[in-house]
Amino acid sequence: MKKIKISWLALKNLKRKFIRTFVLLLLVAVVTGTLLSATIFISGMQNALRIGTYRLGADVLVVPEKNESQAKAALLSGEPTSFYMDGDVYDKVKDVEGVKRASTQLFIKPTSFTCCYNVETFLVAFDPSTDFTVTPWLQKKLKKPLADDEVIAGSAMPLMTDDIIPFFGTPFNVAGTLEPTGMKFFDQSIFMTMQAAFEMAEKSKGRSVQPLELEKGKISAVLVQVEDGFTPERVAIRIEHQIEGIKAIASDEVTSTVRRQLAGLLKGILLISAILWILALLMTGFSFYMIVNERQRELGLLRAMGATKTHVFRLIITEAVILSLAGGIAGIVAGGGLLSVSKAVITRNLKLPYLLPSLPVLTELAAGALIFAVITGLLASLLPAVFASSMEPYDAIRKGE
Amino acid sequence: MIEVSDIVKSYSIGGQALKAVDHASFTVQQGEIISVIGHSGSGKTTLLSLVGGLTKPDSGKVIVDGTDIWSLDDNSRSHFRNRNMSFIYQFSSLIPTLTSLENILLPTAFGDFPGDVRAYAEELIERVGLKEKTNAYPSHLSGGQQRRIAIARAFINRPSVVLADEPTGDLDEETEQDIIRLFSEMNGALKTTFIIVTHNKEIAGQAARQLRMSNGILTGAA
């Protein structure tokens, strides 16, 4: 030890009132942790929504009128569902003005009697001859057309390539697995061809305890891509106008529901965070005011020893920075840990898509949270530090008596 | 050398101006030990603070080693204190979370101290007879030992002036004599100027010269 450093002195001062320092540190940690986990959570949902919407690939989804909410639930939260309508809806939809391309899909909800896994899964069958939504990203993974005895599994399914999985008594080879998207519709689904689905239904009558009731020619949904110059909403209205008994859901409508939910959630989280932040700011500021007040004589003595106003100001500010930095780091660790533990529970209850942001984004968010914590400490200690540094040394020594 | 000329300091109490120091003038030669005696509230401590640059006078001049300290800005005055002056108080002025050695080194946080300050701090702690208490915290020191550490700290910057405000107050007679002996030793070794404020006539009598303070008025100044 040669000279005494201000930062070392600040650290010693913080250790002096350990419980008070610990409580303040905890407060900063709670605020930082809450803010960080909320930001990661929101960012994760937006991330999932962006990727999921892109993956959906269709501008309009046409489903039976009475099954609109089931279809939305399937898309948003991957809730398995089964509903069917006549296949001629496809022919009518593709003739509607503004429709560039259309393709059919079947949604099949397997039961525990028909599948070997207890994991909630959702079968989605598509028509490879017309499909423009699933095939592009299946091809990226598979590099060849999907055969009728093959399936592709979502990332959340406990399956590996070359596994064999039976549905309704028909075994299927797992041709590949997909990257995670955060949307259960993709992550918890098994994709097969339309032909495979009808064959599976036919064979299930003799093979399965609970056969699949699916008539040849039925479909669950028609996916539509609109022509340039047409908006999905406008085409959806035309489709509904021309075809009876169906509901045309524009993709924006699906995501806007999530966005509405997200906006509400965001408001709530922001409000809680703001209240917590103001509370932390006031409490830390008040504590630092008390610290300065009870150390008036000591600060006066430091001035008598030759400390300048800047030295005193720096001492108080350094204490605040050390405290908020430590609180910030603790909050980041705790917030991150808490989020990873509770993520599954929250997403299940909220029924919203979620995909953890990438490492660079997470690092940016953590750095932002740390900066936020330090700024909080700086703001809270600013007035007490100005007060401490502006005291006349003799007054400070006398008032501390 | 300290030259105080016509210095005035007043406080406003209940709307009335009270002169704590009323046109005080005196000179202290380099290496001289003087005492300022007077009753409580006579203005002794205020006078010491004016000389030490801790409180601003209403008028008058304080020149220490040729520098008019009240013509300096606050930063320069702080640096001047850090390099040339030290204070010793009646109350415990040690920082409770610092060891004896760390307390002695405390002024080094606020200025440039050439050489091995740690070695010098250890020398000082030995000189005040508390080598075995180098790493002890103030709570493990008696009142007299704490005062000795404060005295050792007062010399870390090799000051030309030490301003002591009731340095032996609250101490037993034996410790009191030890401290006065220590002042004499330091004065002999370093030619440091001492201004000792006290209401103890016996302590005051050991100084080369005595000034008396009564109701803010200084008498006996040469």
Side-chain angles (χ1 to χ4, degrees):
Chain A
M1 180 178 57
K2 285 187 176 176
K3 273 180 62 181
I4 297 252
K5 296 259 187 286
I6 298 269
S7 51
W8 179 83
L9 200 58
L11 198 64
K12 283 270 186 177
N13 285 335
L14 285 172
K15 282 183 184 170
R16 189 189 307 187
K17 299 273 182 182
F18 182 75
I19 293 176
R20 179 167 62 192
T21 301
F22 181 74
V23 169
L24 287 175
L25 193 143
L26 203 66
L27 192 70
V28 176
V30 167
V31 175
T32 313
T34 307
L35 198 82
L36 178 71
S37 49
T39 315
I40 292 177
F41 192 68
I42 296 285
S43 167
M45 285 196 282
Q46 283 171 336
N47 201 19
L49 207 59
R50 186 172 48 79
I51 293 173
T53 311
Y54 171 72
R55 286 270 171 95
L56 188 62
D59 299 320
V60 180
L61 185 74
V62 182
V63 294
E65 194 173 14
K66 59 181 185 298
N67 300 109
E68 181 193 353
S69 57
Q70 282 167 272
K72 280 184 176 173
L75 284 172
L76 289 175
S77 56
E79 215 168 276
T81 184
S82 291
F83 53 79
Y84 306 111
M85 61 184 175
D86 289 335
D88 64 351
V89 172
Y90 166 72
D91 298 316
K92 291 176 188 167
V93 167
K94 70 176 183 184
D95 290 337
V96 173
E97 192 191 355
V99 173
K100 185 181 176 185
R101 287 198 284 189
S103 183
T104 54
Q105 280 190 358
L106 268 171
F107 300 152
I108 302 163
K109 181 185 177 182
T111 64
S112 54
F113 294 109
T114 58
C115 177
C116 50
Y117 292 99
N118 282 327
V119 178
E120 195 175 55
T121 187
F122 187 21
L123 292 180
V124 178
F126 61 96
D127 180 358
S129 63
T130 56
D131 180 68
F132 56 91
T133 64
V134 182
T135 306
W137 44 273
L138 280 190
Q139 274 173 348
K140 267 190 203 166
K141 195 78 191 169
L142 205 57
K143 315 269 188 216
K144 68 177 178 68
L146 193 66
D148 291 341
D149 61 346
E150 288 178 332
V151 291
I152 287 267
S155 64
M157 299 306 298
L159 291 169
M160 289 170 71
T161 306
D162 295 333
D163 278 354
I164 292 177
I165 178 170
F167 287 107
F168 297 95
T170 302
F172 288 91
N173 291 323
V174 178
T177 54
L178 297 170
E179 299 290 325
T181 66
M183 284 185 90
K184 288 184 184 173
F185 178 74
F186 295 107
D187 294 345
Q188 289 192 357
S189 292
I190 302 272
F191 296 89
M192 60 175 62
T193 64
M194 206 78 126
Q195 183 61 32
F198 286 123
E199 282 176 15
M200 176 180 72
E202 189 57 38
K203 288 174 187 167
S204 73
K205 288 169 191 165
R207 292 179 178 175
S208 181
V209 182
Q210 198 174 37
L212 174 61
E213 298 296 334
L214 174 64
E215 285 176 41
K216 186 97 178 164
K218 290 281 184 185
I219 57 171
S220 297
V222 180
L223 283 82
V224 172
Q225 190 176 35
V226 300
E227 279 178 8
D228 291 342
F230 287 84
T231 63
E233 291 78 13
R234 201 171 133 199
V235 175
I237 291 167
R238 277 173 191 268
I239 293 170
E240 281 184 11
H241 187 70
Q242 291 180 27
I243 308 166
E244 277 188 13
I246 56 97
K247 175 70 188 173
I249 308 163
S251 61
D252 281 358
E253 196 185 328
V254 178
T255 54
S256 69
T257 311
V258 181
R259 283 184 207 287
R260 262 201 307 278
Q261 278 176 279
L262 259 183
L265 195 68
L266 194 65
K267 270 184 200 167
I269 289 170
L270 277 177
L271 189 71
I272 293 168
S273 300
I275 291 169
L276 271 175
W277 184 67
I278 291 168
L279 206 67
L281 202 63
L282 288 175
M283 277 184 71
T284 315
F286 184 67
S287 297
F288 268 92
Y289 179 75
M290 276 174 55
I291 287 168
V292 165
N293 215 30
E294 70 194 31
R295 289 209 327 240
Q296 274 195 61
R297 175 188 276 179
E298 191 179 303
L299 295 171
L301 286 170
L302 296 184
R303 294 290 323 269
M305 285 176 215
T308 61
K309 288 180 175 181
T310 313
H311 283 130
V312 173
F313 183 83
R314 259 177 53 200
L315 179 67
I316 303 295
I317 292 289
T318 307
E319 285 180 30
V321 168
I322 294 172
L323 185 92
S324 50
L325 208 59
I329 292 169
I332 287 166
V333 172
L338 193 73
L339 187 69
S340 60
V341 169
S342 59
K343 185 192 82 179
V345 179
I346 299 170
T347 47
R348 191 166 55 240
N349 291 334
L350 284 173
K351 293 193 182 303
L352 287 171
Y354 182 84
L355 185 66
L356 191 71
S358 61
L359 193 64
V361 175
L362 282 177
T363 312
E364 272 177 33
L365 292 176
L370 200 59
I371 291 168
F372 174 80
V374 172
I375 288 173
T376 304
L378 279 176
L379 282 177
S381 62
L382 199 62
L383 277 179
V386 168
F387 168 69
S389 60
S390 61
M391 285 187 294
E392 192 179 55
Y394 180 55
D395 280 346
I397 293 169
R398 272 198 343 174
K399 278 178 188 166
E401 281 174 15
Chain B
M1 184 177 171
I2 301 168
E3 294 169 82
V4 176
S5 351
D6 208 22
I7 203 155
V8 176
K9 177 72 182 179
S10 50
Y11 296 105
S12 176
I13 298 172
Q16 282 198 320
L18 179 79
K19 279 189 177 162
V21 177
D22 191 0
H23 297 279
S25 298
F26 63 98
T27 303
V28 188
Q29 297 301 324
Q30 183 63 41
E32 194 181 3
I33 300 180
I34 69 157
S35 62
V36 181
I37 58 168
H39 295 296
S40 294
S42 60
K44 309 184 296 290
T45 301
T46 306
L47 179 71
L48 207 64
S49 302
L50 289 166
V51 175
L54 299 180
T55 188
K56 191 175 167 54
D58 301 336
S59 63
K61 275 186 178 180
V62 176
I63 298 170
V64 180
D65 296 336
T67 303
D68 180 354
I69 61 167
W70 287 107
S71 70
L72 301 173
D73 61 34
D74 194 83
N75 261 7
S76 306
R77 196 163 43 252
S78 298
H79 288 307
F80 187 83
R81 272 199 302 270
N82 187 248
R83 291 306 308 134
N84 303 286
M85 292 176 155
S86 279
F87 297 82
I88 298 164
Y89 290 95
Q90 177 184 357
F91 54 83
S92 170
S93 60
L94 303 184
I95 308 294
T97 47
L98 304 185
T99 64
S100 300
L101 186 68
E102 289 162 353
N103 262 294
I104 294 170
L105 283 165
L106 194 52
T108 64
F110 313 117
D112 294 324
F113 282 69
D116 189 348
V117 284
R118 187 191 164 101
Y120 185 52
E122 283 169 346
E123 186 190 320
L124 287 170
I125 208 168
E126 202 170 340
R127 196 176 279 190
V128 298
L130 289 173
K131 192 181 175 189
E132 75 284 2
K133 300 287 182 185
T134 299
N135 296 312
Y137 286 92
S139 56
H140 296 118
L141 300 175
S142 68
Q145 287 172 330
Q146 288 190 32
R147 204 67 51 85
R148 282 161 181 262
I149 296 296
I151 290 167
R153 181 176 65 194
F155 286 92
I156 190 73
N157 58 344
R158 295 180 167 89
S160 63
V161 180
V162 169
L163 305 167
D165 189 1
E166 303 279 9
T168 59
D170 294 345
L171 298 179
D172 58 74
E173 208 171 317
E174 197 182 336
T175 315
E176 203 173 86
Q177 287 308 316
D178 278 352
I179 287 180
I180 294 304
R181 205 163 28 247
L182 206 56
F183 280 3
S184 297
E185 277 175 32
M186 295 293 196
N187 172 256
L190 304 165
K191 294 280 171 258
T192 309
T193 307
F194 280 84
I195 299 180
I196 304 168
V197 159
T198 182
H199 60 263
N200 184 325
K201 286 180 182 165
E202 200 182 329
I203 301 289
Q206 294 184 40
R209 199 148 52 93
Q210 283 180 43
L211 305 180
R212 183 176 291 279
M213 194 91 184
S214 181
N215 294 326
I217 296 170
L218 188 74
T219 54

